[in-house]
Coordinates of all heavy atoms in Angstrom, one line a residue:
S26 N 0.9 -1.2 0.0 CA 0.0 0.0 0.0 C 0.9 1.2 0.0 O 2.1 1.1 0.1 CB -0.9 0.0 1.2 OG -1.6 -1.2 1.3
V27 N 0.3 2.4 -0.1 CA 1.0 3.7 0.0 C 1.3 4.0 1.5 O 0.4 3.9 2.3 CB 0.2 4.8 -0.6 CG1 1.0 6.1 -0.5 CG2 -0.1 4.5 -2.1
H28 N 2.5 4.4 1.8 CA 2.9 4.6 3.2 C 3.7 5.9 3.3 O 4.2 6.5 2.4 CB 3.7 3.5 3.8 CG 3.0 2.2 3.9 ND1 2.3 1.9 5.0 CD2 2.9 1.1 3.1 CE1 1.7 0.7 4.9 NE2 2.1 0.2 3.8
R29 N 3.7 6.4 4.6 CA 4.7 7.5 4.9 C 5.7 7.0 5.9 O 6.8 7.5 5.9 CB 3.9 8.6 5.7 CG 3.0 9.4 4.8 CD 3.7 10.3 3.8 NE 4.6 11.2 4.4 CZ 5.4 12.1 3.8 NH1 5.4 12.1 2.4 NH2 6.2 12.9 4.4
D30 N 5.4 5.9 6.6 CA 6.3 5.4 7.7 C 6.9 4.1 7.2 O 6.2 3.2 6.8 CB 5.4 5.2 8.9 CG 6.3 4.7 10.1 OD1 6.9 5.6 10.8 OD2 6.3 3.5 10.3
L31 N 8.3 4.0 7.4 CA 9.0 2.8 7.0 C 8.6 1.6 7.8 O 8.5 0.4 7.3 CB 10.5 3.0 7.1 CG 11.2 3.8 6.0 CD1 12.6 3.9 6.3 CD2 11.0 3.1 4.6
D32 N 8.4 1.8 9.1 CA 8.0 0.7 10.0 C 6.6 0.1 9.6 O 6.4 -1.1 9.6 CB 7.9 1.1 11.4 CG 9.3 1.3 12.0 OD1 10.3 0.8 11.5 OD2 9.4 2.1 13.0
E33 N 5.7 1.0 9.2 CA 4.4 0.5 8.7 C 4.5 -0.3 7.4 O 3.8 -1.3 7.2 CB 3.4 1.7 8.6 CG 3.1 2.3 9.9 CD 2.1 3.5 9.8 OE1 1.8 3.8 8.6 OE2 1.8 4.1 10.8
L34 N 5.4 0.2 6.5 CA 5.6 -0.5 5.3 C 6.2 -1.9 5.5 O 5.8 -2.9 5.0 CB 6.6 0.3 4.4 CG 7.1 -0.4 3.1 CD1 6.0 -0.7 2.1 CD2 8.2 0.4 2.4
H35 N 7.2 -1.9 6.5 CA 7.8 -3.2 6.8 C 6.8 -4.2 7.4 O 6.7 -5.4 7.1 CB 8.9 -3.0 7.8 CG 9.8 -4.2 8.0 ND1 10.7 -4.3 9.0 CD2 9.8 -5.4 7.3 CE1 11.3 -5.5 8.9 NE2 10.8 -6.2 8.0
A36 N 5.9 -3.7 8.3 CA 4.9 -4.5 8.9 C 3.9 -5.1 7.9 O 3.6 -6.3 8.0 CB 4.1 -3.7 10.0
E37 N 3.5 -4.2 6.9 CA 2.6 -4.8 5.9 C 3.3 -5.8 5.1 O 2.7 -6.9 4.8 CB 2.2 -3.6 5.0 CG 1.2 -4.1 3.9 CD 0.9 -3.1 2.8 OE1 1.8 -2.2 2.6 OE2 -0.2 -3.2 2.2
L38 N 4.5 -5.6 4.6 CA 5.2 -6.6 3.8 C 5.5 -7.8 4.6 O 5.4 -8.9 4.0 CB 6.5 -6.0 3.3 CG 6.4 -4.9 2.2 CD1 7.8 -4.2 2.0 CD2 5.8 -5.4 0.9
H39 N 5.8 -7.7 5.8 CA 6.1 -8.9 6.6 C 4.9 -9.8 6.8 O 4.9 -11.0 6.5 CB 6.6 -8.5 8.0 CG 7.2 -9.6 8.8 ND1 6.3 -10.5 9.5 CD2 8.4 -10.0 9.1 CE1 7.1 -11.4 10.1 NE2 8.4 -11.1 9.9
A40 N 3.7 -9.2 7.1 CA 2.5 -9.9 7.2 C 2.1 -10.5 5.9 O 1.6 -11.7 5.8 CB 1.4 -9.0 7.7
L41 N 2.2 -9.8 4.8 CA 1.9 -10.2 3.5 C 2.7 -11.4 3.1 O 2.2 -12.4 2.6 CB 2.0 -9.1 2.5 CG 1.3 -9.2 1.1 CD1 -0.2 -9.4 1.3 CD2 1.6 -8.0 0.3
T42 N 4.0 -11.3 3.3 CA 4.9 -12.4 2.9 C 4.7 -13.6 3.7 O 4.8 -14.8 3.2 CB 6.4 -11.9 3.0 OG1 6.6 -10.7 2.3 CG2 7.4 -13.0 2.6
Y43 N 4.4 -13.4 5.0 CA 4.1 -14.6 5.9 C 2.9 -15.3 5.3 O 2.9 -16.6 5.3 CB 3.8 -14.1 7.3 CG 3.5 -15.2 8.3 CD1 4.5 -16.0 8.8 CD2 2.2 -15.4 8.6 CE1 4.2 -17.0 9.7 CE2 1.9 -16.4 9.5 CZ 2.9 -17.2 10.1 OH 2.6 -18.2 10.9
T44 N 1.9 -14.6 4.9 CA 0.7 -15.2 4.4 C 1.0 -16.0 3.1 O 0.5 -17.1 2.8 CB -0.4 -14.2 4.1 OG1 -0.8 -13.5 5.4 CG2 -1.7 -14.8 3.5
V45 N 1.8 -15.3 2.2 CA 2.1 -15.9 0.9 C 3.0 -17.2 1.2 O 2.7 -18.2 0.5 CB 2.9 -14.9 0.0 CG1 3.5 -15.6 -1.2 CG2 2.0 -13.8 -0.4
R46 N 3.9 -17.1 2.1 CA 4.7 -18.2 2.4 C 3.9 -19.4 2.9 O 4.1 -20.6 2.5 CB 5.9 -17.9 3.3 CG 6.9 -18.9 3.4 CD 8.1 -18.5 4.2 NE 9.1 -19.6 4.1 CZ 10.0 -19.9 5.1 NH1 10.0 -19.2 6.2 NH2 10.8 -20.9 4.9
R47 N 3.0 -19.2 3.8 CA 2.2 -20.2 4.3 C 1.3 -20.9 3.3 O 1.2 -22.1 3.2 CB 1.3 -19.7 5.5 CG 2.1 -19.4 6.8 CD 1.1 -19.3 7.9 NE 0.4 -20.5 8.2 CZ -0.6 -20.6 9.1 NH1 -0.9 -19.5 9.8 NH2 -1.2 -21.7 9.3
S48 N 0.8 -20.0 2.4 CA 0.0 -20.6 1.3 C 0.8 -21.4 0.4 O 0.4 -22.5 -0.1 CB -0.7 -19.4 0.5 OG -1.6 -18.7 1.3
A49 N 2.0 -20.9 0.1 CA 2.9 -21.7 -0.8 C 3.3 -23.0 -0.2 O 3.3 -24.1 -0.9 CB 4.2 -20.9 -1.1
Q50 N 3.6 -23.0 1.1 CA 4.0 -24.2 1.8 C 2.9 -25.3 1.8 O 3.2 -26.5 1.7 CB 4.5 -23.9 3.2 CG 5.8 -23.2 3.2 CD 6.2 -22.7 4.6 OE1 5.3 -22.5 5.5 NE2 7.5 -22.5 4.8
R51 N 1.7 -24.8 1.9 CA 0.6 -25.8 1.8 C 0.5 -26.4 0.4 O -0.2 -27.5 0.3 CB -0.7 -25.1 2.2 CG -0.9 -24.8 3.7 CD -2.3 -24.5 4.1 NE -2.7 -23.2 3.6 CZ -2.5 -22.0 4.3 NH1 -2.0 -22.1 5.6 NH2 -2.9 -20.9 3.8
L52 N 1.0 -25.8 -0.6 CA 1.0 -26.3 -1.9 C 2.3 -27.0 -2.3 O 2.6 -27.2 -3.5 CB 0.7 -25.2 -2.9 CG -0.7 -24.6 -2.8 CD1 -0.9 -23.3 -3.5 CD2 -1.8 -25.6 -3.3
G53 N 3.2 -27.2 -1.3 CA 4.5 -27.9 -1.6 C 5.5 -27.0 -2.1 O 6.5 -27.4 -2.8
C54 N 5.4 -25.7 -1.9 CA 6.4 -24.7 -2.4 C 6.9 -23.8 -1.3 O 6.5 -24.0 -0.1 CB 5.7 -23.8 -3.4 SG 4.9 -24.6 -4.8
D55 N 7.7 -22.9 -1.6 CA 8.2 -21.8 -0.7 C 8.6 -20.6 -1.5 O 8.6 -20.7 -2.8 CB 9.4 -22.3 0.1 CG 9.4 -21.7 1.5 OD1 8.9 -20.6 1.7 OD2 10.0 -22.3 2.4
V56 N 8.9 -19.5 -0.9 CA 9.3 -18.3 -1.6 C 10.6 -17.8 -1.0 O 10.9 -18.0 0.2 CB 8.2 -17.2 -1.5 CG1 7.0 -17.6 -2.4 CG2 7.8 -16.9 -0.1
C57 N 11.4 -17.1 -1.8 CA 12.6 -16.5 -1.4 C 13.0 -15.3 -2.2 O 12.4 -15.1 -3.3 CB 13.8 -17.5 -1.4 SG 14.3 -18.0 -3.1
G58 N 13.9 -14.5 -1.7 CA 14.4 -13.4 -2.4 C 15.5 -13.8 -3.4 O 15.8 -14.9 -3.7
G59 N 16.3 -12.8 -3.9 CA 17.3 -13.0 -4.8 C 16.9 -12.5 -6.2 O 15.8 -12.7 -6.6
G60 N 17.9 -12.0 -6.9 CA 17.6 -11.4 -8.3 C 17.5 -12.5 -9.4 O 17.0 -12.2 -10.4
R61 N 18.0 -13.7 -9.1 CA 18.0 -14.7 -10.1 C 18.1 -16.1 -9.4 O 18.8 -16.2 -8.4 CB 19.2 -14.6 -11.0 CG 19.0 -15.1 -12.4 CD 20.2 -14.7 -13.3 NE 19.8 -14.7 -14.7 CZ 20.4 -14.0 -15.6 NH1 21.5 -13.3 -15.3 NH2 20.0 -14.1 -16.9
H62 N 17.3 -17.1 -9.9 CA 17.5 -18.4 -9.3 C 18.9 -18.9 -9.6 O 19.5 -18.6 -10.6 CB 16.4 -19.3 -9.9 CG 16.4 -20.7 -9.2 ND1 17.1 -21.7 -9.7 CD2 15.7 -21.1 -8.2 CE1 16.9 -22.8 -8.9 NE2 16.0 -22.4 -8.0
L63 N 19.4 -19.7 -8.7 CA 20.8 -20.1 -8.9 C 21.1 -21.0 -10.1 O 22.2 -21.0 -10.6 CB 21.3 -20.8 -7.6 CG 21.2 -20.0 -6.3 CD1 21.8 -20.8 -5.1 CD2 21.8 -18.7 -6.4
S64 N 20.1 -21.8 -10.5 CA 20.3 -22.7 -11.6 C 19.1 -22.8 -12.6 O 19.0 -23.8 -13.3 CB 20.7 -24.1 -11.1 OG 19.6 -24.6 -10.3
N65 N 18.3 -21.8 -12.6 CA 17.1 -21.8 -13.4 C 17.4 -22.1 -14.9 O 18.3 -21.5 -15.5 CB 16.4 -20.4 -13.3 CG 15.5 -20.1 -14.5 OD1 14.7 -20.9 -14.8 ND2 15.7 -18.9 -15.1
D66 N 16.7 -23.0 -15.5 CA 16.8 -23.3 -16.9 C 15.7 -22.5 -17.6 O 14.5 -22.8 -17.4 CB 16.7 -24.8 -17.2 CG 16.8 -25.2 -18.6 OD1 16.7 -24.3 -19.5 OD2 17.1 -26.3 -18.9
W67 N 16.0 -21.5 -18.4 CA 15.0 -20.6 -19.0 C 14.0 -21.4 -19.8 O 12.9 -21.0 -19.9 CB 15.7 -19.5 -19.8 CG 16.4 -20.0 -21.0 CD1 17.7 -20.4 -21.1 CD2 15.9 -20.2 -22.3 NE1 18.0 -20.7 -22.4 CE2 16.9 -20.6 -23.2 CE3 14.6 -20.0 -22.9 CZ2 16.7 -20.9 -24.5 CZ3 14.4 -20.2 -24.2 CH2 15.4 -20.7 -25.0
R68 N 14.5 -22.5 -20.4 CA 13.6 -23.3 -21.3 C 12.4 -23.9 -20.6 O 11.4 -24.2 -21.2 CB 14.4 -24.4 -22.0 CG 15.5 -23.8 -22.9 CD 16.4 -24.9 -23.4 NE 17.2 -25.5 -22.2 CZ 18.1 -26.4 -22.4 NH1 18.4 -26.9 -23.6 NH2 18.7 -26.9 -21.3
K69 N 12.5 -24.1 -19.3 CA 11.4 -24.7 -18.5 C 10.4 -23.7 -18.0 O 9.4 -24.2 -17.4 CB 12.0 -25.5 -17.4 CG 13.0 -26.6 -17.8 CD 13.5 -27.3 -16.6 CE 14.4 -28.5 -17.0 NZ 15.0 -29.2 -15.8
Q70 N 10.6 -22.4 -18.3 CA 9.7 -21.5 -17.7 C 8.3 -21.4 -18.5 O 8.3 -21.7 -19.7 CB 10.3 -20.1 -17.7 CG 11.5 -20.0 -16.8 CD 11.3 -20.6 -15.4 OE1 10.4 -20.1 -14.7 NE2 12.0 -21.6 -15.1

């Protein structure tokens, strides 16, 4: 969302990511940061 306060931005992103991660884990997945997957094969995308 739009914010003025960094702590509020962090709190929103933390809660959102926690929800996304739990949803992904229930589907046999997980999420992570990083600008590129370490061994992604582009042909499989």
